Amino acid sequence: MPGTIVGRILAALVGAAVVVGPAASQTSAGQPPLSRVPADQVPLPPPRPEEAKGPAATEPAGKEPAGKDASPEGAGKETARETAKEAPASPIPEPAPLPPERPADVPSGPTPTPATIVPDDTACLRRLDRLGVKAEPVAPLADGLCGAAKPLRVTALPDGVVLAPAATLTCVAAEALGRWSTEVRVIAERTLSKVPQAFQIGGSYECRGQNHDPSAKLSEHAYANGVDVMGFAFEGRAPVTVGATREGTPEAAFEAAVRVRACGFFRTVLGPGSDAAHANHLHLDERERPAGHRLCQ
C-alpha cells in the first residue's frame, strides 16, 4: 500500500513539471523541484486511523486494558492486596515474664495483729513491782483485730490506791497509770489536803471503735492500751467527779492539775472540753504516733 501511494504521487509530480514547464522548475523558496528529490527522501503522508493502532491500542478509548479494574476503588483494592502480600507478618508477642519466686524466709500467713504480737514485758513487769502496782497476768485477748497478747488485771496502784473496778491493761499502760498516780497524790495533798484512796474506772479493755462509733477507727481500748478515769475517791470527803467540779474551787484546780500532769505519762489525754464523748471522764492511752507526737486536750 505505501509503495503504490508513493508511485502515484511521483507520477503526478512529474506530469505537473512537464505541463508547467521550465518556469515551474523553481519554487518560491528556491528549493529544487520535487521531481529532483530522491524518492526515499519524499515525506510520507499521515497514516490512516486504523493504522495508528499499535499493540497498546487494542481497547476502545477511555477503557483500561483488559484484566485490570478501571475504577479508583478497584485500583485501591489491588494496591492494598499487593501491599498486604509484600508486608512482613506481625511478630507474635512475647509472653509476660513470671514474677520472682517468693523467698523462703518470708512468712506466708496473715499479717500479724496487735492481738498476736507478743511483747517482751519482762523489764516492764519488774518496774511495776518496784512501783508497787498490783497486777496479775490474764489469758490473751483476741476478738478479730482487737486484743492483747499479754494483758494484765490491775487492781491497785502505788501507795495502795485501789482501782474500782479493776482494769485490764497492757503492761505499758499499767506502768503509765501507776507513775501518774504518784503525781495525783502529791497534787491532791497540795490542793485538797487529802490523798485519794481509789480511782473510779469507767472502762479499760473493750473491743470498739473510737467514741463508741462502730464505723470509726478502733480505739486504744480495743488493744487494752487505754483507760477511762471517771473520778477520785477520798477518805473523809466527797469524791471529785471529772467534769462536775465548779470553776474556782479547789476541786476544779485539782482536776485541771492532774489532767496536765497526765500528759507527761500518756500519749493521749482527752477530757471535758475535748468533745462531747469525753465530757465526764479523762481518757488516757498509750497510742504511738510518728516522732513521739502526743495529743493532750
Side-chain angles (χ1 to χ4, degrees):
M1 178 73 69
T4 305
I5 294 173
V6 174
R8 291 178 181 176
I9 293 173
L10 290 177
L13 291 175
V14 172
V18 172
V19 174
V20 175
S25 61
Q26 298 292 330
T27 64
S28 59
Q31 297 293 333
L34 293 176
S35 60
R36 298 181 183 179
V37 177
D40 57 351
Q41 296 183 12
V42 176
L44 297 177
R48 293 182 181 182
E50 61 269 14
E51 294 178 355
K53 296 180 182 180
T58 58
E59 294 292 334
K63 292 188 177 181
E64 293 291 332
K68 294 187 179 179
D69 193 343
S71 66
E73 282 188 6
K77 292 178 181 178
E78 187 68 26
T79 304
R81 286 195 294 269
E82 292 177 0
T83 303
K85 291 179 181 178
E86 296 175 1
S90 300
I92 299 175
E94 294 289 337
L98 296 176
E101 294 185 3
R102 185 182 181 88
D105 58 343
V106 176
S108 58
T111 303
T113 65
T116 59
I117 298 175
V118 181
D120 182 4
D121 288 342
T122 304
C124 179
L125 291 172
R126 285 200 295 262
R127 292 193 298 270
L128 287 184
D129 187 59
R130 289 198 298 266
L131 280 170
V133 174
K134 303 300 181 182
E136 58 183 9
V138 294
L141 303 170
D143 184 4
L145 294 178
C146 303
K150 290 185 176 181
L152 302 174
R153 183 175 181 273
V154 184
T155 57
L157 302 175
D159 302 310
V161 176
V162 176
L163 294 186
T168 302
L169 300 169
T170 61
C171 187
V172 172
E175 182 182 3
L177 186 62
R179 292 185 181 279
W180 176 59
S181 72
T182 62
E183 299 283 338
V184 172
R185 181 184 178 90
V186 172
I187 294 171
E189 285 182 323
R190 186 174 65 244
T191 58
L192 303 176
S193 300
K194 290 284 185 178
V195 295
Q197 299 297 310
F199 283 13
Q200 297 170 343
I201 303 301
S204 53
Y205 171 73
E206 183 180 358
C207 185
R208 63 174 175 83
Q210 295 177 354
N211 299 336
H212 295 272
D213 184 353
S215 62
K217 182 179 179 180
L218 284 177
S219 168
E220 289 301 303
H221 286 285
Y223 309 126
N225 209 29
V227 60
D228 292 338
V229 177
M230 310 299 294
F232 307 88
F234 299 86
E235 185 178 358
R237 61 157 296 144
V240 175
T241 302
V242 175
T245 59
R246 293 178 301 172
E247 187 176 355
T249 62
E251 291 79 7
F254 166 75
E255 180 184 333
V258 297
R259 180 175 180 175
V260 170
R261 288 303 300 139
C263 293
F265 300 96
F266 295 92
R267 293 184 173 92
T268 305
V269 177
L270 301 172
S274 298
D275 53 38
H278 298 92
N280 63 349
H281 66 277
L282 295 178
H283 168 83
L284 314 171
D285 73 46
E286 287 287 41
R287 178 185 174 188
E288 294 186 5
R289 294 182 175 85
H293 175 68
R294 294 173 182 261
L295 178 63
C296 292
Q297 295 182 346

